Amino acid sequence: MEEEKTIAEPKQIKGNNEVVIEIKDLKKAFGSNEVLKDINLEVKRGENVVILGRSGVGKSVMIQCIVGMLIPDDGTLKVLGAEVAEMDDEELKELRMKIGFLFQSGALYDSMTVRENLEFPLTRVLKIDDQAELDKRVEEVLDSVGLEDAIDKLPSDLSGGMRKRAGLARTLIINPEIMLYDEPTTGLDPITSREISELILNMQKKYKTTSIIITHDMECARITADRVVIMDDGKYIEEGTFDSLKKSKNKIVQLFFKDIS
């Protein structure tokens, strides 16, 4: 028998009700494989929304649709008030400058130092060529993520947690309005995972970003989430605060929280 769908009342976020990401009846299939089935989601400015779901349920496909890397088959997807599917190449480029995307690997250039990795988007995207301004921005963001002593190191000289911090710094350096995190704690030990989760929360507060965090790490979800959305079989089946979902009667939701005290 199908579980009854229940939606918990989300926590009010910092008094701001502006919707930054609006998704309605979104569908995406690859051949006969329906990955997204009637996805509906609103994310408000300044909110951290965690998407929880098992592997292969469509979590990463959804955020690729948000940045226009994939085009939905049906439904609407608005980011910062504009319909993504209707944007031309120039409009998509402008949108992506407002969105930070932290990949699982950190996506650093191996041949560049941390300084050079951070200068790259400033010179290529923002067209900043004043070295004093570059130094100031790089040093400020590295200080924010606690990585100022690694400024002249290569990625190969960094631990996994340090690479995550460097990747986050490079994403934040162009002051994005929206952050998308794809499994930000994957491959890290529990202590480092907690540090990265707390850093995500601190960056939300400091830079006032709106974030979607895809994770299967329950501790990351507990630390970072203003609201948690559970995804299964291409749909969102329940949402609410971390604590409210612990009390859910939905058997699929219970699987995520069964070891949470």
Side-chain angles (χ1 to χ4, degrees):
M1 183 176 178
E2 185 177 352
E3 292 289 338
E4 182 180 355
K5 180 179 177 181
T6 60
I7 300 295
E9 184 68 23
K11 181 171 61 177
Q12 291 299 310
I13 308 303
K14 305 171 185 63
N16 193 333
N17 290 318
E18 179 188 356
V19 176
V20 176
I21 299 172
E22 182 180 10
I23 303 172
K24 292 183 178 180
D25 303 323
L26 196 72
K27 298 181 178 68
K28 180 64 183 177
F30 298 95
S32 60
N33 181 22
E34 293 181 279
V35 179
L36 301 180
K37 307 172 184 177
D38 293 321
I39 291 291
N40 290 276
L41 180 69
E42 287 188 352
V43 182
K44 296 177 181 178
R45 185 170 295 280
E47 184 180 20
N48 273 359
V49 173
V50 166
I51 309 294
L52 280 178
R54 293 173 290 188
S55 297
V57 298
K59 304 185 302 296
S60 295
V61 171
M62 189 270 291
I63 61 173
Q64 289 180 62
C65 290
I66 289 174
V67 295
M69 295 170 64
L70 292 173
I71 303 301
D73 299 323
D74 200 2
T76 61
L77 196 166
K78 293 183 179 180
V79 179
L80 299 171
E83 178 64 52
V84 176
E86 296 176 358
M87 293 181 178
D88 58 27
D89 289 344
E90 189 60 32
E91 290 169 332
L92 274 175
K93 181 180 178 181
E94 292 179 7
L95 174 67
R96 289 167 182 163
M97 289 176 63
K98 300 174 183 178
I99 300 176
F101 200 146
L102 185 64
F103 296 91
Q104 292 185 33
S105 64
L108 299 170
Y109 295 111
D110 292 337
S111 61
M112 295 182 179
T113 65
V114 171
R115 181 197 301 273
E116 291 166 339
N117 264 283
L118 269 62
E119 287 180 346
F120 187 83
L122 294 177
T123 56
R124 296 297 182 91
V125 178
L126 299 186
K127 309 299 182 183
I128 297 173
D129 57 11
D130 179 71
Q131 190 60 49
E133 177 67 13
L134 292 172
D135 290 343
K136 178 184 176 185
R137 290 202 179 203
V138 169
E139 290 166 7
E140 283 181 350
V141 75
L142 284 178
D143 181 65
S144 293
V145 301
L147 209 60
E148 57 272 28
D149 292 338
I151 189 169
D152 291 316
K153 291 184 177 181
L154 290 168
S156 59
D157 298 324
L158 305 179
S159 66
M162 293 171 75
R163 285 195 294 273
K164 293 278 189 178
R165 289 174 182 269
L168 179 56
R170 193 178 69 171
T171 302
L172 288 169
I173 203 164
I174 61 172
N175 297 319
E177 294 184 48
I178 298 168
M179 282 292 299
L180 304 176
Y181 297 91
D182 190 6
E183 299 286 2
T185 60
T186 291
L188 302 178
D189 62 83
I191 294 174
T192 305
S193 294
R194 183 180 179 87
E195 290 175 348
I196 294 299
S197 299
E198 290 174 344
L199 182 59
I200 290 171
L201 187 62
N202 291 337
M203 294 302 96
Q204 176 204 24
K205 294 175 181 177
K206 179 168 184 174
Y207 292 97
K208 313 301 181 187
T209 53
T210 302
S211 303
I212 292 179
I213 303 155
I214 290 177
T215 187
H216 62 272
D217 181 342
M218 296 303 289
E219 182 68 357
C220 176
R222 186 189 66 79
I223 292 171
T224 62
D226 294 306
R227 180 161 48 107
V228 177
V229 178
I230 307 292
M231 188 173 186
D232 188 67
D233 192 29
K235 297 179 181 180
Y236 295 146
I237 60 171
E238 193 164 350
E239 67 175 70
T241 65
F242 188 89
D243 287 339
S244 71
L245 289 177
K246 284 163 56 175
K247 304 170 187 175
S248 173
K249 303 300 183 183
N250 186 302
K251 291 182 179 179
I252 295 173
V253 177
Q254 288 175 352
L255 290 174
F256 289 97
F257 290 87
K258 65 183 177 68
D259 296 323
I260 305 296
S261 58

